PDB file of all heavy atoms in Angstrom:
ATOM      1  N   ASP A1021      21.221  -8.769  16.396  1.00 93.00           N
ATOM      2  CA  ASP A1021      22.472  -9.448  16.076  1.00 93.00           C
ATOM      3  C   ASP A1021      22.423 -10.880  16.581  1.00 93.00           C
ATOM      4  O   ASP A1021      21.871 -11.157  17.653  1.00 93.00           O
ATOM      5  CB  ASP A1021      23.657  -8.717  16.714  1.00 93.00           C
ATOM      6  CG  ASP A1021      23.842  -7.330  16.150  1.00 93.00           C
ATOM      7  OD1 ASP A1021      24.289  -7.211  14.996  1.00 93.00           O
ATOM      8  OD2 ASP A1021      23.536  -6.345  16.863  1.00 93.00           O
ATOM      9  N   HIS A1022      23.009 -11.770  15.790  1.00 88.00           N
ATOM     10  CA  HIS A1022      23.054 -13.179  16.188  1.00 88.00           C
ATOM     11  C   HIS A1022      24.292 -13.820  15.580  1.00 88.00           C
ATOM     12  O   HIS A1022      24.479 -13.796  14.368  1.00 88.00           O
ATOM     13  CB  HIS A1022      21.798 -13.920  15.722  1.00 88.00           C
ATOM     14  CG  HIS A1022      21.562 -15.228  16.408  1.00 88.00           C
ATOM     15  ND1 HIS A1022      22.436 -16.296  16.321  1.00 88.00           N
ATOM     16  CD2 HIS A1022      20.555 -15.646  17.218  1.00 88.00           C
ATOM     17  CE1 HIS A1022      21.974 -17.311  17.019  1.00 88.00           C
ATOM     18  NE2 HIS A1022      20.830 -16.947  17.584  1.00 88.00           N
ATOM     19  N   SER A1023      25.155 -14.346  16.436  1.00 82.00           N
ATOM     20  CA  SER A1023      26.328 -15.100  15.991  1.00 82.00           C
ATOM     21  C   SER A1023      27.197 -14.322  15.012  1.00 82.00           C
ATOM     22  O   SER A1023      27.713 -14.873  14.036  1.00 82.00           O
ATOM     23  CB  SER A1023      25.891 -16.434  15.365  1.00 82.00           C
ATOM     24  OG  SER A1023      25.115 -17.185  16.275  1.00 82.00           O
ATOM     25  N   GLY A1024      27.347 -13.028  15.262  1.00 82.00           N
ATOM     26  CA  GLY A1024      28.191 -12.196  14.420  1.00 82.00           C
ATOM     27  C   GLY A1024      27.546 -11.670  13.164  1.00 82.00           C
ATOM     28  O   GLY A1024      28.190 -10.969  12.376  1.00 82.00           O
ATOM     29  N   VAL A1025      26.273 -11.989  12.954  1.00 84.00           N
ATOM     30  CA  VAL A1025      25.527 -11.508  11.784  1.00 84.00           C
ATOM     31  C   VAL A1025      24.525 -10.460  12.244  1.00 84.00           C
ATOM     32  O   VAL A1025      23.875 -10.626  13.276  1.00 84.00           O
ATOM     33  CB  VAL A1025      24.794 -12.663  11.074  1.00 84.00           C
ATOM     34  CG1 VAL A1025      24.047 -12.161   9.844  1.00 84.00           C
ATOM     35  CG2 VAL A1025      25.779 -13.774  10.689  1.00 84.00           C
ATOM     36  N   HIS A1026      24.405  -9.370  11.486  1.00 91.00           N
ATOM     37  CA  HIS A1026      23.441  -8.315  11.795  1.00 91.00           C
ATOM     38  C   HIS A1026      22.210  -8.480  10.914  1.00 91.00           C
ATOM     39  O   HIS A1026      22.320  -8.510   9.682  1.00 91.00           O
ATOM     40  CB  HIS A1026      24.061  -6.936  11.561  1.00 91.00           C
ATOM     41  CG  HIS A1026      23.202  -5.799  12.020  1.00 91.00           C
ATOM     42  ND1 HIS A1026      22.792  -5.649  13.329  1.00 91.00           N
ATOM     43  CD2 HIS A1026      22.669  -4.743  11.335  1.00 91.00           C
ATOM     44  CE1 HIS A1026      22.054  -4.571  13.449  1.00 91.00           C
ATOM     45  NE2 HIS A1026      21.964  -4.001  12.251  1.00 91.00           N
ATOM     46  N   PHE A1027      21.057  -8.628  11.536  1.00 92.00           N
ATOM     47  CA  PHE A1027      19.794  -8.823  10.834  1.00 92.00           C
ATOM     48  C   PHE A1027      18.968  -7.547  10.889  1.00 92.00           C
ATOM     49  O   PHE A1027      18.852  -6.919  11.953  1.00 92.00           O
ATOM     50  CB  PHE A1027      19.001  -9.970  11.466  1.00 92.00           C
ATOM     51  CG  PHE A1027      19.624 -11.315  11.268  1.00 92.00           C
ATOM     52  CD1 PHE A1027      20.651 -11.755  12.094  1.00 92.00           C
ATOM     53  CD2 PHE A1027      19.197 -12.146  10.237  1.00 92.00           C
ATOM     54  CE1 PHE A1027      21.237 -13.004  11.902  1.00 92.00           C
ATOM     55  CE2 PHE A1027      19.780 -13.388  10.037  1.00 92.00           C
ATOM     56  CZ  PHE A1027      20.801 -13.814  10.875  1.00 92.00           C
ATOM     57  N   VAL A1028      18.376  -7.186   9.758  1.00 96.00           N
ATOM     58  CA  VAL A1028      17.569  -5.968   9.666  1.00 96.00           C
ATOM     59  C   VAL A1028      16.224  -6.305   9.048  1.00 96.00           C
ATOM     60  O   VAL A1028      16.158  -6.760   7.895  1.00 96.00           O
ATOM     61  CB  VAL A1028      18.272  -4.891   8.808  1.00 96.00           C
ATOM     62  CG1 VAL A1028      17.424  -3.616   8.777  1.00 96.00           C
ATOM     63  CG2 VAL A1028      19.668  -4.588   9.339  1.00 96.00           C
ATOM     64  N   GLY A1029      15.142  -6.117   9.818  1.00 97.00           N
ATOM     65  CA  GLY A1029      13.797  -6.331   9.310  1.00 97.00           C
ATOM     66  C   GLY A1029      13.181  -5.018   8.868  1.00 97.00           C
ATOM     67  O   GLY A1029      13.036  -4.093   9.681  1.00 97.00           O
ATOM     68  N   LEU A1030      12.864  -4.896   7.589  1.00 98.00           N
ATOM     69  CA  LEU A1030      12.319  -3.669   7.025  1.00 98.00           C
ATOM     70  C   LEU A1030      10.847  -3.843   6.646  1.00 98.00           C
ATOM     71  O   LEU A1030      10.384  -4.959   6.409  1.00 98.00           O
ATOM     72  CB  LEU A1030      13.117  -3.242   5.790  1.00 98.00           C
ATOM     73  CG  LEU A1030      14.592  -2.917   6.021  1.00 98.00           C
ATOM     74  CD1 LEU A1030      15.268  -2.536   4.698  1.00 98.00           C
ATOM     75  CD2 LEU A1030      14.774  -1.812   7.051  1.00 98.00           C
ATOM     76  N   VAL A1031      10.138  -2.722   6.551  1.00 97.00           N
ATOM     77  CA  VAL A1031       8.707  -2.714   6.214  1.00 97.00           C
ATOM     78  C   VAL A1031       8.528  -1.890   4.950  1.00 97.00           C
ATOM     79  O   VAL A1031       8.755  -0.673   4.948  1.00 97.00           O
ATOM     80  CB  VAL A1031       7.863  -2.137   7.367  1.00 97.00           C
ATOM     81  CG1 VAL A1031       6.383  -2.108   6.978  1.00 97.00           C
ATOM     82  CG2 VAL A1031       8.072  -2.940   8.641  1.00 97.00           C
ATOM     83  N   ASN A1032       8.113  -2.525   3.865  1.00 97.00           N
ATOM     84  CA  ASN A1032       7.929  -1.804   2.601  1.00 97.00           C
ATOM     85  C   ASN A1032       6.519  -1.975   2.040  1.00 97.00           C
ATOM     86  O   ASN A1032       6.300  -1.873   0.837  1.00 97.00           O
ATOM     87  CB  ASN A1032       8.976  -2.230   1.573  1.00 97.00           C
ATOM     88  CG  ASN A1032       9.012  -3.729   1.316  1.00 97.00           C
ATOM     89  OD1 ASN A1032       8.257  -4.499   1.922  1.00 97.00           O
ATOM     90  ND2 ASN A1032       9.892  -4.158   0.428  1.00 97.00           N
ATOM     91  N   VAL A1033       5.536  -2.206   2.951  1.00 96.00           N
ATOM     92  CA  VAL A1033       4.166  -2.439   2.499  1.00 96.00           C
ATOM     93  C   VAL A1033       3.169  -1.391   2.993  1.00 96.00           C
ATOM     94  O   VAL A1033       2.009  -1.405   2.565  1.00 96.00           O
ATOM     95  CB  VAL A1033       3.674  -3.845   2.928  1.00 96.00           C
ATOM     96  CG1 VAL A1033       4.498  -4.927   2.261  1.00 96.00           C
ATOM     97  CG2 VAL A1033       3.702  -3.999   4.445  1.00 96.00           C
ATOM     98  N   LYS A1034       3.589  -0.487   3.858  1.00 92.00           N
ATOM     99  CA  LYS A1034       2.664   0.507   4.404  1.00 92.00           C
ATOM    100  C   LYS A1034       2.559   1.744   3.519  1.00 92.00           C
ATOM    101  O   LYS A1034       1.533   2.423   3.515  1.00 92.00           O
ATOM    102  CB  LYS A1034       3.110   0.928   5.810  1.00 92.00           C
ATOM    103  CG  LYS A1034       2.878  -0.131   6.872  1.00 92.00           C
ATOM    104  CD  LYS A1034       1.408  -0.229   7.252  1.00 92.00           C
ATOM    105  CE  LYS A1034       0.964   0.956   8.085  1.00 92.00           C
ATOM    106  NZ  LYS A1034      -0.430   0.828   8.538  1.00 92.00           N
TER     107      LYS A1034
END
Side-chain angles (χ1 to χ4, degrees):
D1021 295 287
H1022 197 297
S1023 303
V1025 181
H1026 187 60
F1027 292 82
V1028 182
L1030 298 179
V1031 179
N1032 55 359
V1033 296
K1034 287 285 287 184

